[in-house]
Amino acid sequence: MFARLGSLVVRHPWRTIGAWVVIIIGVVATAPALNSTTDQSAFLPSHYESIQAAKLQEKAFPNAAAPAAIVVFERSDGAPLTAADAATVESVTGQLNQAKLKDVTGIQAVPPPDNRLIQIAAVQMTKVTNPSDTRQSDAVKALRTALQDKVDGTDLKAGVTGSAAQALDAQESSTKGLAIVGIATVALILVLLLVIFRSPVIALLPVVVIGAISSVVNGLIAMVSKAFDLKIDPSVSPILLVVLFGVGTDYILFLMFRYRERLRAGEDPKTAMINAVTRVGEAITSAAGAVIIAFMALTLSTLGLFRSLGPALAIAVAVALLAGLTLVPAIVSLLGTKVFWPSKAWRVEPKGASFARLGRGLGRRPAVFAAASGGLLIVLGVFAIGFNPTFDLTSGSTSDTSESTTYSKELLKGLPAGVTQPSDVLLQSPNPLNKTQLDTYRTELTRVDGVGEVSEPTLSQDKSVAHFQVTLKTAPESDQAIETVRGPLRTAVHEAAPPGTTAVVGGLTSVFVDFQDAMNHDYKVVFPLAAVLIMIVLALLLRSLVAPWYLMASVFLGFGATLGATVMVFQHLRGESGLIFTLPVIMYLFVVALGTDYNILMVARLREEAREGRDPREAAALALHHTGPTIAAAGVILAGTFASMMLAGNSTLAQMGFAISVGIAIAAFVMAMFFTPALTALIGHRAWWPGHGDAQQKPQHTEDREPVRIS
């Protein structure tokens, strides 16, 4: 199949390129806009308590809304507010109301707390339900500008925080981070390919090709998201960019390494490209298939965040694969050997002394290599035991210096940390609720450990639903707040409800509690399913029932080592409270999928060498000698592109970038390069049972291969 595909593309390069141009124009012209949302409840299914509470609140109080933003005032010198300062706050809020800022429906100052270190004003804004609606974000921008004009020349300083401000800062941080990640990714690919091939043409090839197909990827994702009503988180865009450039460059790299190898064997450029597609096509298609399957397993997640992330990344990998097997060969077949210009190094097989020496060492002592690489994975994996998930997706998606984050911390000087996102308790009865019931119920809520304040109840029009605003003592996304809502608050809310009534807990912290439950479900479903499906791909590719088991075992060790290294750096060395809760799932899929990617390339080459008539140890030595440089180059490029996410300026992308880049480095330089070939050499011919995939199929071509001595 791949021989026919390579022949078709190489013989009709202009038609292939023309077909891609038509596809790009067609998708761009018909695709809807790709929108994202920072509303965390949008990612949960309706049977969770936090979502039930939100629906009940919207039905019973259709015109009520929590403040979209909070203005925080304090003295510039940090001293307590004076009576004159409080009067200034009242004056400023009055002036802001009179300014009639667009989509700001009201600003109400609240009396300062007892210590008078801060004072706040609640800001109501036009309610938005569409993620693409920017009215609240625009209103925050206008409010911030007007606010600074009003406090200039006074003894006060002020800033805007709250949900709308955090959403704006997260969006701006995402846009800035995407630009930084994009520039760093492209620059890294250019530099590394220049170093590897010494040719600006090859260095620019992935940038041009992937830049061209990125519009197709975004358009297809937008179509799928609209068709299936998938919610996209802002953090998806940087991940998508890195996956597209990283994986796409890897596939181009695998093809070009094999193309160069066939040229050195004496083939003409067109024949060399056809043979390159033939020889590497099955391996990279199987590798891409494993990645796509792993990503698509996310569609079984209970979280909309992952259900949308999976298809998005799968589309990116599929388009990158298709371009790597069609568009790139077409372009290179037109350029011929000019693709290596101005370098002449492609004509001569390098000695590859380092990888040849490593290959000989692995062939002589596979047990030592297996024990050393496996031991390193186990040692790092021990640190994974200390993993602690955190659920602050909003502030984690913004810079620590953003205004919303800064003034959220300032709030803590005088008010409970939960004031920015209070929890909502809704009590529902088939009959009108009376004052005695409400007072007794409110008293029970105030006694809950971890609760700071409980507001007087607000009744629905028919008095059958009461809304209590519960302010927690700790930040709404903190571990303490989550445990408060999960345990004592929900218990008290349910048990203290008067006979015949029902009660539910809503709000952001309740959403995070349900997130945790959903994640536990995903750990039990998505992880095993992805592993089983990838093992099926490996079994079909290798025609073996033995090899998939130890290949997946190595990948699981790699996942544990990656999580352990991330815990060690962020929790132990940097002192952070934990890692973003989505990280294990994302990391698992990347490490499992991409780790399998490199394993497939190494084992496919090892099998190819075995079919040339070499014994298992010699085949492993040659596989490392010839494929080691390819995997090393691909690993550096892919790990480097993901590491660029650490430059985005927020903790969520920093943790993702570090974890995935370390995972890829472990997959390439520990698992695929040493652990997998060493195990295969030790297991020998039994690794290919029952298909005997290593059986010799043709005489050894000594003119194409160097003999490797392992004794």
Side-chain angles (χ1 to χ4, degrees), residues 122-323:
V123 183
Q124 299 289 346
M125 294 181 176
T126 302
K127 188 175 181 179
V128 297
T129 56
N130 190 331
S132 62
D133 193 333
T134 63
R135 285 181 293 175
Q136 284 195 352
S137 297
D138 294 339
V140 171
K141 293 178 184 178
L143 176 61
R144 283 175 170 171
T145 301
L147 176 64
Q148 296 311 312
D149 290 340
K150 304 303 180 187
V151 297
D152 281 348
T154 70
D155 294 329
L156 302 177
K157 63 178 182 178
V160 183
T161 186
S163 59
Q166 289 171 335
L168 171 63
D169 290 343
Q171 184 61 48
E172 291 181 346
S173 177
S174 176
T175 302
K176 179 181 176 182
L178 184 61
I180 293 172
V181 169
I183 293 170
T185 297
V186 171
L188 182 70
I189 289 172
L190 286 171
V191 170
L192 290 175
L193 289 181
L194 276 171
V195 171
I196 293 168
F197 289 100
R198 303 173 193 172
S199 167
V201 180
I202 292 184
L204 288 170
L205 184 63
V207 176
V208 172
V209 170
I210 296 169
I213 67 172
S214 62
S215 56
V216 175
V217 172
N218 288 328
L220 292 176
I221 292 171
M223 291 177 181
V224 170
S225 298
K226 183 178 180 179
F228 295 96
D229 192 29
L230 300 176
K231 308 297 182 182
I232 302 292
D233 184 81
S235 64
V236 169
S237 293
I239 298 173
L240 187 64
L241 178 72
V242 171
V243 166
L244 188 57
F245 272 94
V247 173
T249 302
D250 267 10
Y251 294 156
I252 294 172
L253 198 64
F254 300 147
L255 184 70
M256 293 307 297
F257 266 102
R258 189 54 72 99
Y259 174 61
R260 187 176 65 180
E261 183 180 323
R262 301 316 306 162
L263 287 174
R264 287 169 176 167
E267 296 176 354
D268 67 87
K270 290 188 180 298
T271 303
M273 180 51 71
I274 293 172
N275 285 336
V277 174
T278 302
R279 289 177 179 243
V280 85
E282 183 182 24
I284 65 173
T285 300
S286 300
V291 175
I292 291 169
I293 285 172
F295 289 155
M296 288 303 294
L298 285 173
T299 57
L300 297 178
S301 170
T302 54
L303 290 173
L305 169 64
F306 291 136
R307 286 201 306 275
S308 62
L309 178 63
L313 297 179
I315 288 170
V317 173
V319 174
L321 172 68
L322 187 61

Side-chain angles (χ1 to χ4, degrees), residues 368-410:
V368 173
F369 277 75
S373 54
L376 175 62
L377 297 177
I378 292 171
V379 169
L380 288 174
V382 170
F383 288 94
I385 298 173
F387 168 68
N388 181 53
T390 60
F391 292 80
D392 185 9
L393 287 180
T394 303
S395 64
S397 298
T398 63
S399 167
D400 290 339
T401 59
S402 67
E403 185 171 321
S404 60
T405 301
T406 299
Y407 279 90
S408 288
K409 294 175 182 177
E410 295 301 303

